[in-house]
Amino acid sequence: MESRSNVSKAWIQSLIDNFIAESPLNTLNNRAADPAWDSALVGFASGVDPIWQLYKEVVGAFHWTPWEVYHQNCPAEPTGPEGLTVVSWVLPQREMVRKANRRARKYPAQAWARVRVYGEEFNAALRNHVNQSLTAVGHAAVAPMLAPNWTIIKSQRFSYASCWSERHAAHAAGLGTFGLCDGLITARGKAMRAGSVVAKLSMEPTPRPYADHHAYCLYFADGTCGKCMDRCPVGAITAAGHDKETCRQHLVASRKYVKKTYRFTGYGCGLCQVGVPCEAGIPVRAAREAYEKGDLPPPPPPLA
């Protein structure tokens, strides 16, 4: 077991990589016993990053800061925001899963629906694994999505939202920016799932190689693309953005299709995440080159 002083970014990356490689929970639960995931991108954000306050202003006052969720769930190990690090990861969809879902026109391919259920079950187990591993070496931690007080809130502005968003945590940790469909575009593309843990841990944050939260989306970069609009089977994505309620209703309808067609209880869609330029990488050339070179934009002005 590692000592507290030996916990590093490399140690956490290995912790996640080894769990992906070795856990029997990493499965699609199909006849071929295919794994749900094969790799992860990992980033780190500081508990004092101004972006958490920005989320409260843009998403809603209900969106937790790292300190709020930590303080509520780890009262025996108090610390201030400066003593916290958010460990965030992205699980890119495997090529076989993306390829299958590219052919879909209304409801998800079987592999995609399996990832949505069994792959996310693994993601929950990964949250627990990172949480427990850090706690075991002296760093109290909480996985916000697994916290008993995590909830979905009805939002006047966004239809509904949650008190902790994995995509927003990943954005804060330098792992990607948002597209027209609200998906997070990462260096491995938009077809992915994300997870995070908040830990009593002092670690250098991952630099964000973007200043604009839409920097990786072609539609926002130069007005081209919009392929996710064409891919959406129910017209939930338009130039005005993502209609979350229409999208949700389609996901509900997909449950019946998945059960009847694939013979298991699941759901999903993800059509807007595949068959698009941002499926497996950053399509905006300048943003991609900045990421690859490690060029950082000037810091944003301080919040008023």
Side-chain angles (χ1 to χ4, degrees), residues 13-273:
Q13 179 79 56
S14 293
L15 182 75
I16 292 171
D17 290 343
N18 290 340
F19 194 71
I20 291 171
E22 299 170 4
S23 173
L25 298 174
N26 183 17
T27 177
L28 291 183
N29 273 341
N30 57 3
R31 290 184 179 180
D34 292 312
W37 312 105
D38 57 16
S39 61
L41 301 174
V42 182
F44 304 86
S46 169
V48 293
D49 194 316
I51 201 169
W52 306 112
Q53 183 58 37
L54 182 62
Y55 289 165
K56 280 192 168 296
E57 296 173 9
V58 175
V59 180
F62 52 81
H63 194 282
W64 288 329
T65 65
W67 182 83
E68 285 173 329
V69 64
Y70 178 87
H71 178 71
Q72 292 165 14
N73 291 277
C74 302
E77 295 283 347
T79 187
E82 70 283 353
L84 297 174
T85 292
V86 178
V87 180
S88 175
W89 59 85
V90 161
L91 299 171
Q93 296 279 14
R94 298 176 63 225
E95 166 64 20
M96 63 161 284
V97 177
R98 292 187 281 109
K99 183 178 180 180
N101 218 40
R102 280 183 221 132
R103 296 191 291 266
R105 292 295 176 263
K106 185 173 183 180
Y107 293 114
Q110 181 174 173
W112 189 278
R114 287 186 175 277
V115 167
R116 186 63 186 83
V117 177
Y118 303 116
E120 186 54 32
E121 286 180 359
F122 169 83
N123 197 16
L126 178 56
R127 293 182 182 100
N128 266 325
H129 180 65
V130 175
N131 187 357
Q132 293 170 5
S133 297
L134 287 170
T135 300
V137 294
H139 297 281
V142 58
M145 288 290 290
L146 302 183
N149 57 332
W150 180 88
T151 188
I152 294 175
I153 291 101
K154 187 172 178 59
S155 166
Q156 184 174 2
R157 183 175 183 182
F158 298 108
S159 178
Y160 59 91
S162 62
C163 55
W164 183 266
S165 163
E166 299 288 33
R167 290 177 299 112
H168 285 72
H171 174 70
L175 293 178
T177 77
F178 297 91
L180 180 63
C181 74
D182 284 346
L184 192 77
I185 303 170
T186 75
R188 295 280 300 280
K190 185 171 62 177
M192 61 90 198
R193 303 289 298 172
S196 63
V197 164
V198 179
K200 186 179 180 181
L201 180 68
S202 294
M203 192 162 282
E204 189 71 21
T206 304
R208 288 193 288 273
Y210 40 78
D212 184 344
H213 68 289
H214 286 139
Y216 293 173
C217 177
L218 282 168
Y219 185 84
F220 289 108
D222 57 20
T224 64
C225 192
K227 296 296 184 182
C228 57
M229 291 188 277
D230 298 333
R231 285 287 291 166
C232 181
V234 291
I237 306 167
T238 66
H242 177 212
D243 184 334
K244 295 174 74 172
E245 182 56 28
T246 298
C247 182
R248 185 191 68 81
Q249 290 174 5
H250 180 61
L251 287 176
V252 170
S254 75
R255 291 181 181 275
K256 184 176 180 180
Y257 176 86
V258 169
K259 187 169 185 178
K260 179 180 179 181
T261 308
Y262 305 139
R263 307 295 182 181
F264 74 97
T265 301
Y267 67 104
C269 181
L271 270 68
C272 66
Q273 296 181 28

